[in-house]
Each structure stands twice: as structure tokens, then as C-alpha cells.
Amino acid sequence: QVQLVESGGGLVQPGGSLRLSCAASGFTFSRYAMSWYRQAPGKERELVAAITSTGGSTNYADSVKGRFTISRDNAKNTVYLQMNSLKPEDTAVYYCNAIRQKIGWKYDYWGQGTQVTVSS
């Protein structure tokens, strides 16, 4: 059974930090690219950060570059999102995504989400 379980969300003041974790099970984690998405109330889900299966390459939304860092530990089947200098506009539900695709097929899994609220 495939599972992606996010943790680490919560309430933080502007300028503060949080570290999100996403623990994966039920599939070969090291073969999947991993991403963090977020969705704020009334807005579409957007890509925040992504990392390749080996961790050798990452990319970020412009809005979080220089503040957020995505990383992964394939030995622990876990992907992380370190969020620094948080702003109120970072408030959203954050989702973990695992994806593996080749021509003709794709496997795509989602976690249940964790709430991040940035407020004073």
C-alpha cells in the first residue's frame, strides 16, 4: 500500500522557520522524483520545489528561491522541505508528491497534506 505521510506543519510567526518531512512507503522511493506543492484557500495548487530521484538536481518556484530547500534521504525514504524566512503568503496546505514516468506510463502519488500558517 502506497503511503506518503507529511509532518512538521504548524503555526509560525513571520520570519520564522519550519521543516516539513514526508515519509514514503509502499514503493521504491529511490526511483521517484519528489516534489512539494502547496494550495492556499481559493487558489490553485502550485509547485513549490522538486528534486530528482538521486537528489542531484532541484528546482524551486521563484517565490521561494533562496528561502526554501528541498532535500531527500533515500536510506530513510523521506523527503524534506526546509522553510526559512517565512512570510504570510506562504500560508497553505503543503502536499508531498512522488512521480515516476516513462513513455506510455506514469505513477503519481500524493500525501494528505500538512497545514502551514504564517501569522503574528
Side-chain angles (χ1 to χ4, degrees):
Q1 180 183 0
V2 171
Q3 280 194 309
L4 292 173
V5 180
E6 299 99 335
S7 61
L11 173 64
V12 63
Q13 292 187 343
S17 297
L18 283 175
R19 188 194 196 203
L20 305 184
S21 299
C22 172
S25 60
F27 62 99
T28 307
F29 179 77
S30 61
R31 293 184 179 179
Y32 283 69
M34 300 297 298
S35 301
W36 287 96
Y37 285 75
R38 68 186 180 187
Q39 188 166 20
K43 295 188 177 181
E44 293 186 355
R45 190 173 297 190
E46 63 173 351
L47 176 67
V48 175
I51 188 167
T52 55
S53 58
T54 63
S57 181
T58 58
N59 68 280
Y60 298 90
D62 287 343
S63 59
V64 306
K65 280 181 182 176
R67 299 189 297 121
F68 290 11
T69 302
I70 188 171
S71 61
R72 65 189 295 161
D73 185 337
N74 284 352
K76 295 183 178 179
N77 288 356
T78 301
V79 62
Y80 306 97
L81 185 68
Q82 178 67 43
M83 305 186 294
N84 299 329
S85 303
L86 283 160
K87 304 176 181 180
E89 51 264 42
D90 294 318
T91 296
V93 178
Y94 284 71
Y95 297 91
C96 176
N97 171 258
I99 190 166
R100 184 180 182 212
Q101 59 185 348
K102 294 187 183 296
I103 296 175
W105 57 267
K106 180 173 75 173
Y107 294 110
D108 190 12
Y109 308 125
W110 291 90
Q112 83 288 348
T114 186
Q115 175 71 46
V116 171
T117 302
V118 185
S119 175
S120 54

